[in-house]
Amino acid sequence: MRASPWQQYAVLVKQGLRAELVDKERIVSPILFALTLLLLFAFALGDLDDALRLKVYLAETMLTALFALQVSFSRLFEPDRQDRVFDLLRTYPLSHTSLFLAKYTLVSLLGSATLIPTLLFGAFLNQSPKLQLFSWTVVGIALLALAGLGALGVLLSALTLKANARQILYPLLYFPLTTPVLLAAIQSSRLCLEAGGLTPDVNSWLGLLVAFDCIYITLGILLFTELVDES
C-alpha cells in the first residue's frame, strides 16, 4: 500500500535528521562560523554607548545568522545530488510537497540550532548593566524570520542544484530576496527592545514579516514540484 504524504514526510524528516547527525560537521561549522564573526565584531567595534550598542547587537547578530544560514542552505541538497535522488523520484511515487516540507522542517531545526546560540552569544558580548539585550520575544521574531529564510533557502537550493556556477549563483539570488525579511525582523526587534515589549509599531513590522513568510512558503510549495521535475 502506498504511504500517505504525511507518512512520507515523517520518514524523510527522520532520515534527514539521521544523515545530519552522522555528519556533525554540517551542524557544528555554521555555529562556529557565527561565533567567530561575532567575536570579530566585538573586537573591531570596542566599547559603545548603550543607544548604539542595541542597534549594533541586532545588526551583527542578524547578519551573522544570515551568513551562517546561507552556508547551511547552499549545501542542503548535496547528498541528494550525489545520490541522484531527483532522478530516482521520477520512478518512485513520492510526493514532492512532502519532500519540500521535510527539507523545510530540517533546515528550520538546524537553523534554530544556529540562530539561538548566535543571539545568546551576541547578547553576552554586548551586555551592559543598564541594557537588557536578550529577549525571548526577539528570539521569537528571529524564528519568524527563519521561517521565511528557510523556505527561500530550500527553493533556491533546488533551483541552483545543477547550475555549473551554483556557488556564485545561489548567493546572488539569496541575499537580495532576504532583504524584506531581515528588514522587518531587525526593525521589529529594535522597537521591541526599546519599548520593552510589543507595541502597535512592532506589530506592524511583524505583520510584514509574517506576510513575506507566507509568500515564500507558498512559492516554495508551488514551485518545488516544477523544479524537481526539471532537475
Side-chain angles (χ1 to χ4, degrees):
M1 184 176 69
R2 178 180 175 181
S4 69
W6 286 112
Q7 290 173 324
Q8 294 175 0
Y9 162 79
V11 171
L12 289 168
V13 171
K14 188 181 298 184
Q15 289 178 341
L17 285 174
R18 188 181 296 117
E20 293 292 338
L21 292 175
V22 168
D23 187 6
K24 294 182 174 59
E25 182 270 336
R26 293 172 61 87
I27 301 175
V28 174
S29 60
I31 299 175
L32 292 178
F33 176 75
L35 299 185
T36 302
L37 278 184
L38 289 177
L39 281 174
L40 291 175
F41 276 123
F43 282 110
L45 295 174
D47 292 331
L48 301 169
D49 59 69
D50 287 345
L52 186 58
R53 189 184 297 272
L54 185 149
K55 297 177 182 179
V56 168
Y57 162 69
L58 290 175
E60 68 183 23
T61 50
M62 291 294 183
L63 287 175
T64 298
L66 173 70
F67 288 125
L69 292 172
Q70 186 265 330
V71 173
S72 298
F73 295 164
S74 64
R75 301 186 304 178
L76 179 62
F77 285 101
E78 282 300 317
D80 304 85
R81 183 180 64 82
Q82 294 171 2
D83 296 336
R84 302 179 65 84
V85 170
F86 283 175
D87 293 334
L88 296 175
L89 286 180
R90 297 190 181 95
T91 62
Y92 187 79
L94 177 67
S95 168
H96 296 166
T97 300
S98 298
L99 178 59
F100 172 82
L101 291 176
K103 290 291 185 181
Y104 178 62
T105 301
L106 191 61
V107 299
S108 297
L109 292 174
L110 298 178
S112 299
T114 300
L115 186 61
I116 294 176
T118 299
L119 293 172
L120 282 168
F121 192 60
F124 171 75
L125 292 177
N126 292 280
Q127 63 182 331
S128 169
K130 301 179 181 179
L131 189 63
Q132 177 65 35
L133 289 177
F134 183 78
S135 166
W136 287 108
T137 304
V138 173
V139 173
I141 293 172
L143 291 176
L144 274 178
L146 175 62
L149 296 179
L152 184 62
V154 174
L155 182 61
L156 294 181
S157 292
L159 177 64
T160 60
L161 183 63
K162 290 191 174 180
N164 292 328
R166 69 184 309 269
Q167 297 299 329
I168 299 175
L169 182 61
Y170 182 90
L172 287 177
L173 295 172
Y174 177 76
F175 288 124
L177 292 173
T178 60
T179 301
V181 174
L182 287 178
L183 179 62
I186 290 175
Q187 290 285 19
S188 56
S189 298
R190 179 181 64 81
L191 293 171
C192 180
L193 289 176
E194 289 177 346
L198 297 177
T199 65
D201 289 337
V202 175
N203 292 333
S204 297
W205 283 105
L206 283 179
L208 180 64
L209 178 57
V210 171
F212 272 98
D213 286 352
C214 293
I215 290 171
Y216 286 150
I217 293 171
T218 303
L219 285 176
I221 293 174
L222 294 177
L223 297 179
F224 187 76
T225 298
E226 299 298 325
L227 294 177
V228 171
D229 289 338
E230 295 178 2
S231 296

